[in-house]
Amino acid sequence: MSPPARPAAARNPRILIVEDEPALLRALQINLRARGYEVAAAPTGREALAEATRQPPDAILLDLGLPDLDGAEVIRELRGWSAAPVIVISGRAGSGDKMGALDAGADDYVIKPFNMAELLARLRAALRHGDHAPDRARFSIGRCEIDLTSHTITRNAGPLPAARPAAGQPATPAAGQPATPSETVHLTPTEWRLLEILLTSAGQLVSSDRLLTEVWGHGFERSTHYLRFHMARLRRKLEDDPPRPRYLLTEPGMGYRYQP
Ligand code: CA
């Protein structure tokens, strides 16, 4: 028995195509759109990671030979926070490349030139598989509920300092003192990537080097001021008491930790 459809299943699956050959990218876009998929495209590994962060895809078609990052590196970075199935599309038929991609976390591997009908069948299979992935995407920081799949953060209604009921009275806000409503918290793409790495390593120290490399790229290992700036912003947006963070902790001289 398949589980009941979740509300999210009502929309068309979103597929991210990562491919630097314009003709192949175009052919894939046309074929996927014709079958009702929502399509996003990225010609480089960095753009793919940024796009996947901005709007998480349901599945990813990934060329291994990209102009900036190696495809396997893109998969490893994605796997830090995304469970979306990845189908590698590669001109490299060597078993080393195939094993490398699968070890990095790819779900399937298709060799160029490929048959479009076969690729679409594999995509459908990957999406079915992805539907049963465990929900490891919900976290909380104080009053904030974070959903990494939908990229939403809700800050729940806070306590009402002046509306505490007297004994025996119903707990309703006093007139003129409305409850703090739940609200949506907005993060920038950079803040999302930082937060995702920390949340998916819950309880573990994440080194500044790793955060800088995964969020800003190689060559930024010494830019620790970027981290301090963006971590301070995350705390202001998410922690109940930002100057005394309880969840997004600094490990001086080493890195940061999300303490659930
Ligand atoms: Ca290529």
Side-chain angles (χ1 to χ4, degrees):
M1 273 272 298
S2 47
R6 294 171 297 176
R11 66 177 177 79
N12 293 336
R14 179 179 174 81
I15 314 297
L16 172 59
I17 308 172
V18 191
E19 172 60 72
D20 61 325
E21 287 172 41
L24 180 52
L25 175 60
R26 190 165 159 69
L28 286 166
Q29 282 177 312
I30 289 170
N31 273 280
L32 291 177
R33 287 203 178 111
R35 283 158 184 84
Y37 293 106
E38 209 184 292
V39 178
T44 67
R46 284 273 153 235
E47 283 171 73
L49 291 168
E51 175 61 27
T53 305
R54 196 178 63 78
Q55 214 169 353
D58 297 298
I60 299 164
L61 301 179
L62 173 73
D63 179 24
L64 279 194
L66 296 168
D68 54 348
L69 301 177
D70 185 76
E73 203 176 328
V74 175
I75 301 170
R76 272 192 294 275
E77 293 208 15
L78 273 170
R79 280 293 172 256
W81 53 271
S82 169
V86 174
I87 301 178
V88 165
I89 301 176
S90 177
R92 308 177 197 165
S95 64
D97 288 317
K98 185 168 178 176
M99 293 304 292
L102 294 173
D103 281 347
D107 297 82
D108 204 348
Y109 198 99
V110 176
I111 309 285
K112 290 178 191 173
F114 55 85
N115 174 301
M116 189 63 76
E118 184 190 336
L119 175 70
L120 291 167
R122 292 203 191 194
L123 177 60
R124 286 193 296 275
L127 286 167
R128 280 196 299 276
H129 175 76
D131 255 1
H132 301 289
D135 182 3
R136 50 168 192 162
R138 286 168 188 279
F139 300 88
S140 57
I141 290 182
R143 290 190 285 124
C144 292
E145 304 271 345
I146 301 154
D147 186 330
L148 293 186
T149 307
S150 59
H151 266 204
T152 51
I153 301 179
T154 307
R155 184 184 290 109
N156 294 310
L160 299 162
R164 186 164 292 161
Q169 295 298 306
T172 47
Q177 296 191 323
T180 321
S182 293
E183 58 183 1
T184 302
V185 178
H186 297 281
L187 300 187
T188 64
T190 300
E191 289 163 357
W192 268 117
R193 294 221 53 214
L194 259 183
L195 183 64
E196 277 164 337
I197 295 167
L198 290 170
L199 294 182
T200 52
S201 310
Q204 299 167 31
L205 166 69
V206 185
S207 71
S208 298
D209 267 19
R210 183 183 153 201
L211 290 169
L212 287 163
T213 308
E214 293 199 8
V215 177
W216 285 275
H218 292 288
F220 285 85
E221 290 81 354
R222 295 200 181 148
S223 306
T224 49
H225 56 289
Y226 286 17
L227 271 180
R228 283 196 297 277
F229 176 80
H230 284 92
M231 287 300 297
R233 287 178 58 108
L234 276 176
R235 286 173 179 142
R236 278 203 297 278
K237 291 182 179 183
L238 301 174
E239 291 268 2
D240 289 343
D241 185 8
R244 279 167 292 278
R246 146 86 182 76
Y247 300 90
L248 299 174
L249 308 180
T250 302
E251 300 282 346
M254 295 192 288
Y256 295 85
R257 182 195 307 270
Y258 162 59
Q259 191 61 55

